[in-house]
Amino acid sequence: MADPSGLSGPVEQVHLTSAAATDAAPAPAPAPASADAAKEPTKTALKKAAKAKEQAERKAAKEKELAAQKAKEDELRHAALEEAKRVVLVEETSLPPAVKIITGEKDPAIVKLRKIDAQTDGHRTEGRGTRVEVSGWVHRLRSQKEFMFITLQDGYGELQCVLSGQLTKTYDAMTLTRETTMTVYGEMWEVPAKQHAPDARELHVDFYRILGKAPGDKRALSTVLAPDADPQTLYNHRHLALRGDTLSSVMKVRAAVLDAFRQTYRDVRPRRLTEVDPPALVQTSVEGGSTLFELNYFGEKSYLTQSSQLYLETLLSRNGDVFCVQKSFRAEKSLTRRHLSEYTHIEAELAFLTFDDLLSHLEFVMTRVLELALADPSIAPLVRTLNPDFKAPTRPFLRMRYADAIGWLNEHDIVNEEGKPHAFGDDIAEAAERKMTDIINRPIFLTHFPVTLKAFYMAKDRQDPRTTESVDCLMPGVGEIVGGSMRITDYDELMAAFAREKLDPAPYYWYTDQREYGTCPHGGYGLGLERFLAWLCGRYTVRECIAYPRWTGRCKP
């Protein structure tokens, strides 16, 4: 037998006894199990795994079932749509000719309603309603068994239109979407008792035409302008957002308020105001150079106007008191809720008056505008919906001097922007001003601001030359909506004001000439229409009060 050790020589065989075996070195113990070694799963773990597997299988089966169900529904809908394409509507020639109307037409001499006998739950009617033709946009839409209810709007009102029978089975009806334009024909009916529709009437359609289809699915209006859409998305799609109830209501109130201003200015006695149109392209500043939009005007430095006031002053002598409704522009990089880069400026200039006369005029104009606008039966309900708590102010407005406002703020522990008590000469910040106005909760004429805080053309108060005969009208919830003053009438005093503000008077020659060619005491003001509307309509920001707002970083659409 070969030596397994590989050594030469005889092999000695040793036989160990049990004792010897006992005394020998013990065999090495088995290595302990590794921490990563697999453990036997517990019953709880096995139960959870089985449950998870069962849930996954159920979910997969449900998804498969839903997919099959959707595929079947899609197939059925496709078949129904294909069948619907074969349904062709034909206008019944035996029906009376349709009278073309707008949705808001309520004149009984033009539109008569078929009456419903309330005693028969609508099963019996009296007379026949006028057959009409109406065009508009689909504002709301719902289906109910064999009927379709469409709310049509055309900017003049809303009209509920009822489709039934074959009218609901056409391809156009089955694919109808909001904002689709259509023309409908049918008979005007009273609305049955206990049912509701705009103006308590509805159109029972006998024929219709689709004029322009609006997209559905991902491009549907309700998807693009989803309730949870972020503000920037809404501003990017402002052209669509303007079709909504809120913005369209504000636009209608805006139009009524503009009409009311013009009517009020015509009604002022004995000095009615004449509307004029000053330029928007100018070469002088009014409120300081830092907020001017500069442009190259055929090689000359020019600007978009900050205010038409200086030009209004030049028109007084031959036109009497004047006003304008113009756009003004401010290159102010402000993102507050009451600032716009482009806004509608209602400005007026009046001759031969005192500062108190100016304040009384302002009170009259604002309260009269509200009276006229809220007397309009189509506008008052919109204001009530937009701002249910609105109460028109009464005259006289509270008059508070700037110095008294400083005292009021300190008494109420409202500090300035540096966290310190207010002092004379502080430019009262927007937040403090609005807080004061909201606490007082009534319109305030804040008057007699320091010369250092106001524009160069404002007249000084003769009793206190530190201050000007100036006014800001503050409204609760908004703050300043009007700024005005008496103007400097003396040529030398005006030149001194130019020097104080380090302004070159040469480009203002046409303005300073007014003091040499028959000067007179005069004053005026500018009112921001969007701020006025934000107050009236209860809007959080002036951006909701203009069709296409412009501010820092926003110049589209």
Side-chain angles (χ1 to χ4, degrees):
M1 179 174 178
D3 182 0
S5 69
L7 301 175
S8 62
V11 179
E12 181 180 359
Q13 295 185 353
V14 179
H15 298 282
L16 297 175
T17 63
S18 59
T22 303
D23 294 334
S34 167
D36 294 331
K39 293 183 179 180
E40 186 72 24
T42 64
K43 290 182 179 180
T44 302
L46 288 171
K47 195 172 182 181
K48 284 184 178 179
K51 187 175 181 181
K53 181 183 178 184
E54 181 183 351
Q55 288 176 340
E57 288 173 347
R58 278 205 307 268
K59 183 179 179 182
K62 184 66 175 177
E63 289 176 350
K64 185 176 180 181
E65 180 186 346
L66 290 173
Q69 183 179 339
K70 185 177 185 305
K72 185 176 181 181
E73 289 174 354
D74 289 346
E75 183 181 347
L76 290 172
R77 177 166 175 77
H78 178 74
L81 290 175
E82 289 301 312
E83 180 67 25
K85 289 178 181 178
R86 291 194 279 271
V87 179
V88 178
L89 298 181
V90 178
E91 186 174 6
E92 179 58 61
T93 57
S94 63
L95 292 172
V99 177
K100 190 173 183 178
I101 65 168
I102 58 174
T103 58
E105 182 60 73
K106 302 181 183 71
D107 187 345
I110 298 173
V111 177
K112 295 180 180 179
L113 307 181
R114 181 186 287 239
K115 302 293 184 182
I116 294 175
D117 188 345
Q119 303 300 320
T120 63
D121 291 328
H123 294 299
R124 193 167 64 204
T125 63
E126 300 174 5
R128 185 172 182 84
T130 305
R131 185 169 184 262
V132 300
E133 170 192 344
V134 189
S135 298
W137 287 262
V138 176
H139 188 51
R140 287 185 288 273
L141 171 67
R142 65 184 173 91
S143 297
Q144 180 179 319
K145 295 183 180 179
E146 296 296 316
F147 296 92
M148 285 183 68
F149 295 88
I150 298 169
T151 301
L152 207 65
Q153 71 84 19
D154 60 357
Y156 299 99
E158 295 181 356
L159 180 62
Q160 179 166 287
C161 306
V162 184
L163 278 63
S164 60
Q166 286 292 96
L167 296 176
T168 66
K169 295 178 171 56
T170 67
Y171 181 82
D172 285 334
M174 295 180 70
T175 58
L176 194 61
T177 53
R178 282 182 59 196
E179 297 308 314
T180 290
T181 48
M182 61 191 302
T183 298
V184 296
Y185 302 78
E187 184 185 355
M188 295 294 294
W189 283 54
E190 277 187 341
V191 170
K194 299 181 181 179
Q195 295 186 23
H196 301 282
D199 301 317
R201 59 187 190 158
E202 60 189 13
L203 174 63
H204 288 214
V205 179
D206 57 54
F207 183 69
Y208 62 85
R209 290 190 182 92
I210 299 298
L211 305 177
K213 295 197 104 173
D217 300 324
K218 292 182 180 179
R219 293 198 61 225
L221 190 72
S222 56
T223 303
V224 175
L225 303 178
D228 59 349
D230 67 89
Q232 293 308 313
T233 296
L234 296 178
Y235 285 122
N236 286 339
H237 293 87
R238 185 70 163 198
H239 56 294
L240 298 178
L242 285 165
R243 300 184 179 208
D245 289 336
T246 298
L247 278 178
S248 62
S249 293
V250 173
M251 293 304 104
K252 289 173 181 176
V253 175
R254 178 189 174 99
V257 166
L258 278 172
D259 283 346
F261 268 106
R262 287 188 164 99
Q263 182 63 50
T264 297
Y265 287 139
R266 284 193 296 269
D267 291 346
V268 173
R269 292 291 181 271
R271 300 176 63 88
R272 62 177 292 170
L273 279 72
T274 300
E275 184 168 8
V276 294
D277 295 292
L281 295 169
V282 300
Q283 292 187 315
T284 52
S285 71
V286 182
E287 302 296 335
S290 63
T291 64
L292 283 168
F293 281 108
E294 184 177 324
L295 54 90
N296 184 324
Y297 185 71
F298 302 109
E300 294 186 75
K301 184 185 289 188
S302 299
Y303 313 100
L304 293 177
T305 184
Q306 298 169 313
S307 165
S308 297
Q309 176 223 311
L310 304 188
Y311 289 95
L312 291 182
E313 291 187 46
T314 70
L315 291 161
L316 284 172
S317 65
R318 293 295 291 175
N319 296 280
D321 296 345
V322 292
F323 79 98
C324 69
V325 179
Q326 296 277 83
K327 289 297 181 71
S328 286
F329 304 86
R330 302 286 171 93
E332 189 174 358
K333 294 182 179 179
S334 176
L335 295 174
T336 74
R337 60 192 176 106
R338 68 176 194 172
H339 281 91
L340 291 168
S341 298
E342 175 191 34
Y343 65 98
T344 305
H345 213 173
I346 299 175
E347 298 183 85
E349 203 69 23
L350 303 93
F352 306 110
L353 80 168
T354 66
F355 186 52
D356 284 338
D357 293 336
L358 180 64
L359 298 184
S360 297
H361 166 87
L362 266 171
E363 284 176 333
F364 167 77
V365 167
M366 285 189 281
T367 54
R368 180 59 178 159
V369 164
L370 292 173
E371 287 174 9
L372 291 172
L374 296 176
D376 187 329
S378 66
I379 298 303
L382 298 180
V383 174
R384 283 196 296 270
T385 300
L386 292 165
N387 190 4
D389 297 327
F390 180 78
K391 292 180 181 177
T394 56
R395 292 184 281 169
F397 293 178
L398 176 65
R399 284 154 168 77
M400 178 185 285
R401 285 178 172 258
Y402 166 89
D404 295 330
I406 293 294
W408 190 99
L409 291 168
N410 291 333
E411 288 171 8
H412 290 77
D413 298 320
I414 300 173
V415 295
N416 63 19
E417 289 185 307
E418 297 176 351
K420 300 176 181 178
H422 283 86
F424 189 91
D426 282 354
D427 190 359
I428 301 173
E430 177 189 343
E433 180 183 87
R434 193 165 61 240
K435 191 169 184 180
M436 177 180 73
T437 309
D438 290 348
I439 292 173
I440 295 174
N441 198 31
R442 59 179 290 197
I444 302 172
F445 277 150
L446 190 57
T447 67
H448 297 88
F449 287 84
V451 172
T452 54
L453 296 181
K454 287 300 182 179
F456 71 91
Y457 52 78
M458 293 191 179
K460 292 181 181 179
D461 179 13
R462 300 303 176 192
Q463 304 302 317
D464 184 0
R466 299 178 306 159
T467 66
T468 54
E469 288 188 313
S470 55
V471 59
D472 285 356
C473 182
L474 312 179
M475 290 295 183
V478 178
E480 180 195 348
I481 64 171
V482 178
S485 76
M486 296 299 290
R487 317 309 192 189
I488 294 175
T489 59
D490 181 75
Y491 179 87
D492 292 334
E493 186 180 345
L494 183 58
M495 288 297 117
F498 275 114
R500 184 186 70 238
E501 299 298 326
K502 296 180 173 58
L503 287 172
D504 180 7
Y508 295 85
Y509 71 94
W510 50 271
Y511 179 67
T512 58
D513 274 356
Q514 305 305 309
R515 276 66 183 173
E516 295 191 291
Y517 287 81
T519 190
C520 73
H522 62 287
Y525 56 88
L527 178 145
L529 177 63
E530 288 76 20
R531 291 188 184 182
F532 188 89
L533 288 167
W535 167 60
L536 172 61
C537 297
R539 300 298 91 193
Y540 176 75
T541 170
V542 292
R543 297 173 188 176
E544 298 177 54
C545 301
I546 187 171
Y548 290 96
R550 299 288 185 253
W551 69 90
T552 304
R554 169 64 60 177
C555 196
K556 65 177 184 182

